[in-house]
Amino acid sequence: MSAQPIAREMPPDLPDALGHFGPYGGRYVPETLMAALAELAAGYDAARRDPAFQGELDALLADYVGRPAARYLARRLTERLGGPRIYLKREDLCHTGAHKINNTVGQILLARRMGKRRIIAETGAGQHGVATATVAALLGLACEVYMGTEDMARQALNVVRMRLLGATVTGVNAGSRTLKDAINEAMRDWVTNVETTYYVLGSVLGADPYPRMVRDFQAVLGREARRQILEAEGRLPGCLLACVGGGSNALGLFYPFLADAGVRMVGVEAGGFGIASGRHAARFAERIPGILHGTRSYVLQDADGQIRVTHSISAGLDYSGVGPEHAYYHDRGRIEYGSVTDEEALAGFRLLAETEGILPALESAHAVAYLSRLVPKLPRDGALILNLSGRGDKDVETVAAALGLTEKSHA
């Protein structure tokens, strides 16, 4: 095995002091939220420099979340596809079943430090909502989660989980009744109750400091993956692969490798019914900048600048915008982006289940599906890390219905 230079773990120093990643990011919010965002930024900057805060965060990630998350060599999947060795970063094994809890532990510790006793959040697939409700229960804080009623129907299990954890789940009937609309309602709540309430945004979205804060909390998985692949292979991977909705699991993996020019990075969006259909959530397929939920990035919008309704079989990828840092690295050519359709994602779900005995979240299944396109273009003697961002328990009913695997269909 040929040696590969191990570059320093030094990503670029972004965003700038105003929260911009080049032309993206920033704070595009009502004046009533500017003071709250300034307070949050100051609180976060103080906390990240505080050894006591970092120590408590690290302890909870280890003892409560179950980090480090396992590195797993998927041998049968590798054999099936005939390419480089495929390693899975097993975020599905973390407490609550996804990477989301890395961020909620960090933010809710910060909320308590800032004296906020009420926690609110939005959720699409329900995993961020469950993770928020979990940590709020752990720390004894009140919690309300906003969720589109369309997502509540297709993620009913996670709705029950949140309620069992003591959270109030508030359905949102506006618009497409999905993640975008849940964020709208959560932001309205925050504007009204900003003195007592902390908004736990679930991805690398929104106004500064949220994109950098969520990225920093999620980067723990990339730091672990870096150490783990060096232990296993003695060199860095040739490629990193992850699904991209808002983009937190992808950026969490990619961030500690950004300075390593030899490491290719690929994000996979939701192609829905296909790009040509217009019913998808692939922001980089159209590359139209716009402002959504307080940040400037690529946004799916119509000719009049109105935010378009998106579609994905995966509730967690069904969103009109993408994190501003992703837009920045797309333009610089540092991260590549592709998409897979609902049908392909279902095939990816089955592929991982049947080769490795692992049911991935439908979000992660998009990345699994993309392997069939990516692997033939990679050296066979190399290694690839796929971030398995969550487990598929929440999606079993959706997958069963889509594939005709219900009991009724087998009667």
Side-chain angles (χ1 to χ4, degrees):
M1 184 180 297
S2 61
Q4 177 179 337
I6 300 171
R8 59 190 175 85
E9 194 174 329
M10 288 288 290
D13 187 18
L14 289 171
D16 64 18
L18 298 176
H20 292 107
F21 302 87
Y24 307 109
R27 295 179 186 173
Y28 297 88
V29 296
E31 189 65 30
T32 51
L33 278 182
M34 291 300 287
L37 288 167
E39 177 193 24
L40 177 58
Y44 173 61
D45 289 338
R48 65 196 297 264
R49 294 190 297 266
D50 183 352
F53 177 86
Q54 291 297 329
E56 186 173 12
L57 174 60
D58 290 345
L60 283 174
L61 290 174
D63 300 334
Y64 189 69
V65 175
R67 306 208 69 90
R71 171 210 73 213
Y72 172 66
L73 175 58
R75 290 180 174 84
R76 294 195 65 238
L77 180 62
T78 299
E79 292 169 5
R80 173 76 68 89
L81 296 176
R85 289 175 295 284
I86 300 169
Y87 288 87
L88 305 180
K89 183 58 173 164
R90 297 291 307 274
E91 295 299 301
D92 59 311
L93 297 180
C94 292
H95 182 43
T96 72
H99 74 292
K100 292 293 188 179
I101 198 165
N102 303 323
N103 172 50
T104 61
V105 167
Q107 286 205 53
I108 296 176
L109 281 177
L110 178 59
R112 187 184 66 179
R113 176 187 172 101
M114 294 175 65
K116 310 293 186 180
R117 301 298 301 175
R118 178 175 177 260
I119 302 298
I120 61 171
E122 85 296 328
T123 196
Q127 289 300 129
H128 174 61
V130 168
T132 300
T134 296
V135 182
L138 175 69
L139 298 183
L141 303 176
C143 180
E144 183 169 0
V145 179
Y146 290 92
M147 190 172 191
T149 52
E150 171 70 17
D151 290 339
M152 290 179 72
R154 56 182 172 174
Q155 300 293 336
L157 174 62
N158 275 342
V159 174
V160 173
R161 293 172 74 192
M162 287 183 271
R163 288 171 173 159
L164 288 173
L165 289 161
T168 298
V169 182
T170 299
V172 179
N173 272 309
S176 60
R177 300 178 291 122
T178 57
L179 181 59
K180 170 180 67 69
D181 313 292
I183 294 176
N184 289 340
E185 289 303 314
M187 292 186 74
R188 289 189 186 101
D189 185 322
W190 194 32
V191 168
T192 305
N193 302 291
V194 69
E195 293 297 323
T196 60
T197 297
Y198 184 103
Y199 177 21
V200 182
L201 188 60
S203 194
V204 287
L205 301 167
D208 180 75
Y210 282 110
R212 64 184 171 94
M213 183 166 62
V214 177
R215 174 201 68 193
D216 291 350
F217 287 137
Q218 290 295 359
V220 62
L221 70 91
R223 292 193 296 271
E224 288 176 6
R226 187 185 177 90
R227 290 193 298 269
Q228 290 168 335
I229 198 69
L230 290 173
E231 291 169 0
E233 295 281 326
R235 59 178 179 173
L236 296 175
C239 187
L240 305 174
L241 180 64
C243 64
V244 177
S248 64
N249 91 93
L251 205 52
L253 176 63
F254 298 164
Y255 188 63
F257 293 88
L258 282 168
D260 303 308
V263 179
R264 184 178 177 184
M265 302 178 186
V266 182
V268 184
E269 299 184 286
F273 292 123
I275 303 304
S277 73
R279 299 183 64 191
H280 60 81
R283 291 66 45 103
F284 292 112
E286 301 188 9
R287 299 187 299 279
I288 303 172
I291 295 171
L292 178 63
H293 294 140
T295 194
R296 187 174 191 270
S297 187
Y298 285 121
V299 175
L300 291 174
Q301 53 189 310
D302 63 22
D304 297 320
Q306 298 300 304
I307 301 302
R308 288 212 327 249
V309 174
T310 56
H311 165 76
S312 173
I313 193 171
S314 163
L317 303 185
D318 198 356
Y319 181 64
S320 305
V322 67
E325 192 164 5
H326 280 285
Y328 174 79
Y329 286 116
H330 166 273
D331 289 2
R332 292 175 64 88
R334 183 62 186 96
I335 303 175
E336 306 166 40
Y337 297 87
S339 65
V340 301
T341 64
D342 290 352
E343 184 177 0
E344 290 171 315
L346 288 165
F349 188 101
R350 295 196 76 160
L351 175 64
L352 191 62
E354 293 171 1
T355 57
E356 298 295 341
I358 298 171
L359 300 180
L362 274 171
E363 291 78 12
S364 307
H366 283 69
V368 176
Y370 201 78
L371 284 169
S372 62
R373 295 186 214 169
L374 184 63
V375 160
K377 302 174 184 178
L378 299 175
R380 291 175 63 91
D381 65 347
L384 175 150
I385 301 174
L386 186 154
N387 192 23
L388 196 65
S389 58
R391 66 181 182 228
D393 307 41
K394 67 184 179 61
D395 296 315
V396 167
E397 289 186 4
T398 298
V399 171
L403 296 177
L405 300 177
T406 61
E407 284 299 316
K408 182 181 294 186
S409 69
H410 284 76

